[in-house]
Amino acid sequence: MKKIILILLVSLGLQTQAQIIYCDSISYTTVTSNSIGYPLILAGSLPVIPGTVTWSWTVCSSNMCYPGSGINAIFQPFSTTDTLKVCYEVLIDVSGFTYACTDCDSFVFNGSSWILLNMGNPTSIKEISHNAVNGKIYDLLGRELKYVPTGEMYIRNNKLYINR
């Protein structure tokens, strides 16, 4: 009896199909335009899928949101000082199964094109200066102490001490 159950479990396990995740294959880019005002042009990409694919876009500035549709979408010129929130929703219908894929990103204008906010150049970097020999006492969690602890480790002038 155990052998029959084992054979059934193995035969059913071998017939499972791999799970396909279409949403992981979706990507898009911005296209730089030489038009006046720098409109935002979005170009989606997706590998060939045996089904129907519908793209919907939403681009929001600080004042309003604008809808768009299609794999490629063009949006009016925005103020180059705005940070834009770009969202897409892709509906994929394959043999009666519908997959809904969504994502949002923020874009800023770098002087010549719209780029992802996390890929832009830093706007400023301030040097961190510290006085390594300041005589202050800290515990191991970095909290400043007003006294020298007894029987515990502490930090003074970037060195570790134990007062016994």
Side-chain angles (χ1 to χ4, degrees):
M1 185 67 168
K2 290 180 183 178
K3 289 182 180 180
I4 293 173
I5 293 174
L6 181 63
I7 291 172
L8 284 173
L9 289 174
V10 170
S11 65
L12 290 174
L14 293 177
Q15 295 180 7
T16 60
Q17 296 179 348
Q19 187 176 17
I20 299 173
I21 303 173
Y22 293 112
C23 295
D24 290 344
S25 303
I26 295 173
S27 65
Y28 71 95
T29 59
T30 60
V31 179
T32 303
S33 171
N34 293 330
S35 302
I36 297 174
Y38 301 101
L40 178 64
I41 303 171
L42 301 170
S45 67
L46 186 66
V48 176
I49 293 177
T52 305
V53 179
T54 306
W55 287 75
S56 298
W57 301 90
T58 304
V59 177
C60 297
S61 66
S62 58
N63 300 326
M64 286 192 71
C65 292
Y66 303 93
S69 62
I71 193 164
N72 299 320
I74 300 174
F75 294 90
Q76 70 176 13
F78 293 96
S79 170
T80 56
T81 59
D82 275 343
T83 298
L84 303 180
K85 183 175 181 182
V86 175
C87 297
Y88 68 79
E89 179 182 69
V90 178
L91 297 176
I92 303 169
D93 186 4
V94 178
S95 303
F97 292 101
T98 302
Y99 302 89
C101 310
T102 60
D103 195 16
C104 292
D105 290 310
S106 294
F107 284 81
V108 293
F109 193 75
N110 72 351
S112 60
S113 63
W114 293 97
I115 61 168
L116 275 172
L117 181 61
N118 61 356
M119 293 180 65
N121 294 331
T123 55
S124 69
I125 298 174
K126 292 184 178 182
E127 292 295 326
I128 299 174
S129 61
H130 67 284
N131 187 357
V133 183
N134 61 7
K136 292 184 179 179
I137 300 169
Y138 300 94
D139 66 5
L140 295 181
L141 296 175
R143 297 177 293 207
E144 185 177 352
L145 302 174
K146 300 294 181 190
Y147 59 91
V148 176
T150 304
E152 295 179 21
M153 287 194 234
Y154 65 94
I155 301 169
R156 177 184 277 169
N157 298 330
N158 288 336
K159 294 183 182 177
L160 190 62
Y161 296 94
I162 297 178
N163 186 13
R164 294 181 187 201

